[in-house]
Amino acid sequence: MKKTIIRTIATLTLVTATVLATAYLTYRATMQNIQVEVARDTVYLTVFGQTDEYVIGE
């Protein structure tokens, strides 16, 4: 009984740590790969090499 509780707590701790680490690494990779450029009335947003163009005021 006691071993089962300890194993359950250890498993939940490991799963939680894995989820948090994955979320952090995904966030960090995304933030490092976002680039914003503004030229007059146009905003260029580049994420992971793909650029989208947004025209302000249309």
Side-chain angles (χ1 to χ4, degrees):
M1 178 78 170
K2 206 172 192 180
K3 273 189 173 181
T4 305
I5 293 172
I6 292 173
R7 276 193 189 156
T8 303
I9 291 171
T11 301
L12 288 174
T13 302
L14 180 62
V15 169
T16 302
T18 303
V19 168
L20 291 175
T22 302
Y24 170 73
L25 292 174
T26 302
Y27 170 79
R28 191 178 76 177
T30 302
M31 290 299 111
Q32 289 177 347
N33 285 290
I34 290 179
Q35 181 180 0
V36 179
E37 296 178 34
V38 179
R40 293 188 184 195
D41 64 344
T42 307
V43 176
Y44 299 95
L45 178 63
T46 304
V47 181
F48 292 109
Q50 181 176 348
T51 302
D52 290 325
E53 179 180 316
Y54 299 95
V55 178
I56 300 170
E58 281 191 1

